[in-house]
Amino acid sequence: MSSLCEIPEEDLQCPVCLDIFTHPVLLFCGHSVCKACFQQFSSDRGVQECPVCGKRFTGFLPPDNLALRNMCESFFRKRASSSDVFFCDVHSEKLKLFCLDDKQPVCLVCRDSEKHLKHTFRPVDEVAPLLKEELKTSLKHLQEKLESFNEMKQSFDDTAQHIKTQAQQTVRRLQEEFERLHQFLRDEETHRISALIEEENQKSRMMKERIEQIDREIESLSSNVRTIKAGLDAANMTFLQNFKFSEERARITLQDPGIPTGALMNVPEHLGNLRFKVWEKMQEIVHITPVTLDPNTAYPLLFLSDDLTHVKSSANAQQYPENPERFDYYHCVLGSEGFNSGKHCWHVEVENNTCWSVGVTTASTQRKGDVFFDTGVWRVRYMAGQYTSQSPLMARTHLSVEERLKVIRVKLDWDRGSISFSDPLTNTHLITFTSTFTEAVFPLLYSSCTDFPLRILPVEFSITTEEPKQQPYHPVAQDC
């Protein structure tokens, strides 16, 4: 018996519907048709008749052709499992064409149908390789996009973790700073309470001495009073004999006692303008710098001090997220505040640092990659024992410096577009750049020296008081 794969598809087609048999029945004449096709054909003719040979039957119920039905079902399963041959769900024809307009495979009958009128078709074998290559390109872009999203998600995860770390570190530093302030206030409280107690003890001792003195005077006066009273009660001769003595005792030589001036506590000395006096004294522990550094911009090899005024390079990189503000090529860090108006000045201690740059840059200058110093930077640099200067309009230029610089003064006049560098210790001018600023300008520090930091120096400040401005007096009429 021939295998199923050797049976021609035409032998499994119904002669009426021309499709693969569905529920085939066997007629007396030996032909087979679909049960539904036989019933429809006989109904149309009005008699039972074989659609193939025309032989008529009367009252005939054709039996199922089980063998043929099994072969058809096997054929359907075989066709469904084939990866190369697919059939149209509507017409059961092989899908040999691909509709470029609807982007789906079609059979020859579909091609001629109203649904695909005026559409463009290509053979499946011809269009499949082209579409595969096209889809491969799209898949590559999609995979790259997926990889990019995965990397970005990792960056988001790193950033979220870094935010928590920053918050914890900042809380710790805040607690340390406030503990210093609290300790200062506790010490100041102890000192002022001690001064108050000292004044209390001093004035209490004075009052005790005055009380002891007046007690003695009271005792003396009381004794005189008793003596004089006794003389008055004596006989006349006795009184007269003691009169001179009694008269002397009755004579008052003591001054009336009084509370001395300033005997009470000097309360205003302890409470008057107390908060201001404490704040004024706090200048001993408070320092202010015109520039603080932004750790979110620091190159991973840079370490900043807790007060954000020192920066030092290290051989070990810190784990920072790849945020847009951060430098990823140069050992740079920016100030936390940009200036977009006015005059500004700050001093940077560079003593002993062997490789540094001090200057300013604009907010929009590209911080990623190795092009940073080629655009939007005004600076003075020290490297390999040589001092140079650079600006966007001037290439790196040698500076003549007689002695090694210890401090650099940077003066920025944003409105006039002036940036000046000088040595404040010798009052020596180094260089001045001029430009026209259209955006915020940020202080810039660069350091690749691992032994000594760069430091923003604090500025001196003082507290002054002013007389309040006298407000004009405007009398207001009052109702009677």
Side-chain angles (χ1 to χ4, degrees):
M1 182 177 178
S2 301
S3 64
L4 180 62
C5 61
E6 297 175 349
I7 299 177
E9 182 179 337
E10 291 79 6
D11 292 346
L12 300 177
Q13 290 179 347
C14 173
V16 178
C17 63
L18 300 179
D19 286 333
I20 303 300
F21 285 107
T22 303
H23 200 162
V25 294
L26 182 62
L27 304 181
F28 276 149
C29 59
H31 294 115
S32 295
V33 294
C34 295
K35 184 176 182 179
C37 295
F38 175 72
Q39 292 174 346
Q40 183 65 39
F41 186 82
S42 298
S43 177
D44 293 341
R45 295 295 181 95
V47 293
Q48 290 182 329
E49 183 178 314
C50 176
V52 180
C53 64
K55 185 175 182 178
R56 295 186 177 187
F57 313 98
T58 301
F60 174 64
L61 294 177
D64 294 338
N65 191 337
L66 296 179
L68 182 57
R69 186 172 70 177
N70 292 336
M71 294 175 63
C72 291
E73 290 178 353
S74 298
F75 176 82
F76 279 123
R77 288 194 296 269
K78 185 70 174 180
R79 187 173 67 176
S81 63
S82 174
S83 59
D84 297 327
V85 180
F86 291 86
F87 293 83
C88 177
D89 294 335
V90 179
H91 307 106
S92 298
E93 295 286 338
K94 288 184 179 180
L95 299 174
K96 297 182 178 181
L97 300 176
F98 185 81
C99 178
L100 299 180
D101 298 275
D102 292 338
K103 296 186 182 301
Q104 64 178 16
V106 296
C107 68
L108 296 176
V109 180
C110 291
R111 178 193 61 183
D112 300 329
S113 66
E114 183 69 23
K115 179 181 178 181
H116 295 279
L117 188 64
K118 296 183 179 179
H119 286 189
T120 304
F121 303 90
R122 291 290 183 272
V124 169
D125 295 338
E126 175 184 324
V127 74
L130 299 177
L131 294 181
K132 283 183 179 180
E133 290 300 322
E134 180 180 332
L135 193 58
K136 284 181 181 179
T137 302
S138 300
L139 177 62
K140 181 179 179 182
H141 294 324
L142 187 63
Q143 290 173 330
E144 292 174 351
K145 180 65 70 174
L146 175 60
E147 183 178 355
S148 174
F149 270 64
N150 286 331
E151 292 176 354
M152 187 56 63
K153 181 182 182 300
Q154 183 62 47
S155 297
F156 285 167
D157 292 339
D158 294 342
T159 301
Q161 182 59 43
H162 187 66
I163 290 172
K164 292 182 179 180
T165 302
Q166 278 186 310
Q168 294 170 355
Q169 292 176 345
T170 305
V171 167
R172 176 183 58 80
R173 294 171 184 174
L174 280 172
Q175 291 172 338
E176 291 173 354
E177 287 298 320
F178 274 100
E179 177 56 30
R180 294 187 184 97
L181 294 176
H182 294 160
Q183 187 60 48
F184 170 83
L185 292 176
R186 287 192 292 267
D187 294 343
E188 187 65 17
E189 178 186 12
T190 301
H191 170 74
R192 291 183 177 274
I193 291 177
S194 298
L196 175 67
I197 294 175
E198 175 63 26
E199 182 184 3
E200 177 195 12
N201 293 335
Q202 179 183 355
K203 293 191 173 180
S204 294
R205 287 193 300 270
M206 181 188 68
M207 293 307 300
K208 181 179 179 181
E209 293 173 357
R210 292 296 180 94
I211 291 172
E212 291 174 351
Q213 179 183 356
I214 200 171
D215 284 342
R216 290 191 297 270
E217 292 174 349
I218 289 174
E219 179 62 29
S220 176
L221 290 174
S222 297
S223 176
N224 290 343
V225 168
R226 287 193 302 271
T227 301
I228 293 172
K229 281 184 177 182
L232 291 174
D233 294 336
N236 290 339
M237 184 55 67
T238 303
F239 168 75
L240 293 175
Q241 287 178 342
N242 296 324
F243 175 76
K244 183 177 180 181
F245 176 72
S246 298
E247 184 182 31
E248 289 178 357
R249 302 198 72 165
R251 189 177 297 119
I252 300 175
T253 59
L254 298 175
Q255 295 182 353
D256 292 339
I259 297 178
T261 302
L264 299 180
M265 293 292 294
N266 188 359
V267 176
E269 175 66 22
H270 302 285
L271 294 181
N273 292 321
L274 175 61
R275 297 180 184 179
F276 175 81
K277 291 177 180 178
V278 173
W279 179 55
E280 188 177 31
K281 190 174 180 180
M282 197 175 288
Q283 294 180 72
E284 299 174 3
I285 65 169
V286 172
H287 304 284
I288 182 172
T289 55
V291 171
T292 56
L293 303 176
D294 183 1
N296 292 338
T297 66
Y299 181 70
L301 286 177
L302 294 182
F303 282 77
L304 273 59
S305 61
D306 287 349
D307 62 357
L308 306 179
T309 61
H310 296 55
V311 58
K312 183 179 179 182
S313 184
S314 171
N316 300 318
Q318 300 184 85
Q319 295 300 320
Y320 287 139
E322 279 296 326
N323 52 302
E325 302 89 349
R326 190 175 309 282
F327 289 90
D328 66 353
Y329 187 85
Y330 287 109
H331 293 58
C332 293
V333 61
L334 298 185
S336 60
E337 179 184 2
F339 307 120
N340 54 15
S341 65
K343 297 180 180 180
H344 308 274
C345 179
W346 59 95
H347 293 178
V348 183
E349 185 180 67
V350 297
E351 185 177 10
N352 298 323
N353 192 296
T354 57
C355 187
W356 53 262
S357 287
V358 174
V360 298
T361 186
T362 56
S364 63
T365 303
Q366 176 59 252
R367 303 174 191 178
K368 305 296 185 181
D370 59 352
V371 298
F372 172 68
F373 283 118
D374 297 330
T375 58
V377 177
W378 297 259
R379 64 165 174 162
V380 168
R381 187 186 78 158
Y382 178 75
M383 180 180 290
Q386 298 293 322
Y387 292 94
T388 56
S389 62
Q390 183 182 4
S391 76
L393 300 179
M394 185 183 75
R396 196 174 302 155
T397 304
H398 175 73
L399 286 177
S400 178
V401 178
E402 295 182 358
E403 297 182 2
R404 185 167 176 175
L405 298 174
K406 297 180 179 180
V407 179
I408 293 289
R409 176 195 289 132
V410 184
K411 296 181 69 174
L412 169 67
D413 189 337
W414 193 94
D415 299 316
R416 294 187 176 181
S418 172
I419 308 168
S420 176
F421 297 88
S422 61
D423 178 2
L425 301 182
T426 61
N427 200 25
T428 302
H429 175 261
L430 298 175
I431 193 169
T432 296
F433 299 110
T434 58
S435 183
T436 301
F437 300 121
T438 58
E439 57 180 318
V441 175
F442 287 81
L444 163 70
L445 296 182
Y446 168 95
S447 175
S448 59
C449 175
T450 59
D451 296 325
F452 300 97
L454 299 179
R455 183 167 73 102
I456 307 293
L457 297 180
V459 296
E460 296 182 359
F461 69 97
S462 60
I463 300 173
T464 60
T465 58
E466 296 181 358
E467 292 291 336
K469 295 182 179 180
Q470 184 175 2
Q471 299 295 330
Y473 172 69
H474 300 290
V476 179
Q478 297 181 352
D479 295 335
C480 298

